[in-house]
Amino acid sequence: MSLASTDLFSLGLDDHDRLNKELGGGIPPGSIILVEGDYGAGKSAMSQRFTYGLCEEGHDVTYLSTELTVGSFLDQMHSLSYDMVDHILDEDVLFLHADIGDSNTFSGGEEEQDRKELLRRLMEAEVMWDADVVVIDTFDAILRNDPKFEALVRQNDERQAALEIISFFRDIISQGKCIMLTVDPSTLDEEAIGPFRAIADVFIELEMIEVGNDVRRQINVLRFAGMGEQVGDTVGFSVRSGTGIVIESRSVA
């Protein structure tokens, strides 16, 4: 059953871009949003656009980054014309930097034991789950650097490795919250990423297509449960400095 648009978490910025309209008026509460894309496809820019728009609409957001510090996060958001300073000061957004370490540093022995169980620490960080929407950018980096997950992958037991965190995610979204995960699918085996694709209520693929000498980006909406209005199957977009996400075109596949 489709939700009324008033029940959705609006992505706002209707006078700035058409993203909220193209995605049917917002994201359904109590959902997991999976955004996949190769390096450079625009995953971080898209998650930052979601974060800013949600904050502008009065929602609380936790943004966990495996790459950015709070300073570089604010700089990057400002470069996209998404000014987050007031939202940080007003505690509308909680920014967290995930110190995942360097998996290449560890080759076994005592150093292997010192590696952080990232998924366990993620689930135990209670304060980050208080927000209406939790954005984890990029989730595959946490999976790849978690020694317990990695050990199960080596045993060809990726689905068992995913089970615990998926169960935790289900508990969180049962409270009406949303979890947004960005993933580079080229860094994980199909067996590792498959369970997360299967549970995603909203599954979006960001794709780069070479057209002549140009590289064009597009959003492919592969699944959108609980949509408010009609959602475009394929939406062209670009990322512009000083402007942010710009919807270029829309075509229905």
Side-chain angles (χ1 to χ4, degrees):
M1 180 180 295
S2 295
L3 296 171
S5 59
T6 54
D7 295 329
L8 302 173
F9 288 167
S10 172
L11 301 175
L13 307 188
D14 291 331
D15 58 346
H16 187 82
D17 60 45
R18 304 196 312 275
L19 182 65
N20 191 57
K21 183 177 185 300
E22 295 289 355
L23 295 182
I27 54 177
S31 62
I32 294 175
I33 301 103
L34 180 65
V35 179
E36 284 191 15
D38 292 336
Y39 179 80
K43 297 186 300 297
S44 290
M46 191 63 65
S47 61
Q48 290 160 11
R49 162 63 180 86
F50 271 57
T51 297
Y52 180 64
L54 287 162
C55 287
E56 289 285 287
E57 290 296 305
H59 299 295
D60 296 328
V61 180
T62 294
Y63 191 104
L64 176 69
S65 174
T66 61
E67 298 177 348
L68 302 175
T69 63
V70 65
S72 55
F73 170 72
L74 290 173
D75 287 344
Q76 190 162 321
M77 294 290 272
H78 180 71
S79 73
L80 296 174
S81 195
Y82 304 147
D83 190 355
M84 292 298 296
V85 174
D86 287 343
H87 288 304
I88 288 275
L89 294 175
D90 292 339
E91 299 183 349
D92 300 329
V93 61
L94 171 65
F95 177 85
L96 299 170
H97 169 67
D99 182 10
I100 60 175
D102 182 355
S103 61
N104 295 324
T105 302
F106 304 100
S107 57
E110 293 181 2
E111 289 179 330
E112 184 71 26
Q113 298 301 318
D114 289 339
R115 290 182 61 185
K116 301 167 183 173
E117 291 190 13
L118 299 172
L119 290 172
R120 178 179 59 79
R121 295 184 65 188
L122 187 75
M123 291 186 282
E124 291 177 352
E126 295 182 8
V127 66
M128 72 172 285
W129 304 104
D130 288 340
D132 299 325
V133 181
V134 178
V135 178
I136 303 178
D137 180 37
T138 54
F139 185 59
D140 61 277
I142 293 176
L143 294 180
R144 288 183 286 106
N145 287 276
D146 184 280
K148 183 177 178 181
F149 188 90
E150 184 183 64
L152 286 169
V153 168
R154 286 200 298 265
Q155 298 168 21
N156 295 318
D157 201 0
E158 291 92 339
R159 290 188 178 276
Q160 178 60 35
L163 188 61
E164 184 178 0
I165 187 67
I166 286 175
S167 177
F168 176 78
F169 285 164
R170 289 191 186 279
D171 287 342
I172 294 296
I173 66 172
S174 71
Q175 305 169 39
K177 301 175 183 292
C178 291
I179 299 172
M180 179 178 179
L181 310 171
T182 71
V183 173
D184 181 344
S186 68
T187 66
L188 296 173
D189 290 338
E190 175 65 31
E191 287 297 311
I193 197 173
F196 297 99
R197 287 172 172 164
I199 64 160
D201 303 284
V202 178
F203 183 10
I204 293 172
E205 176 188 56
L206 302 183
E207 188 177 14
M208 294 183 292
I209 301 173
E210 293 187 12
V211 180
N213 294 326
D214 295 331
V215 176
R216 298 181 183 177
R217 292 182 172 92
Q218 67 182 30
I219 303 167
N220 298 322
V221 182
L222 305 182
R223 185 185 309 130
F224 205 114
M227 71 176 77
E229 301 171 4
Q230 180 63 42
V231 174
D233 293 333
T234 303
V235 181
F237 76 101
S238 61
V239 181
R240 300 182 188 176
S241 179
T243 303
I245 297 291
V246 176
I247 301 302
E248 300 285 4
S249 61
R250 173 178 176 176
S251 61
V252 177

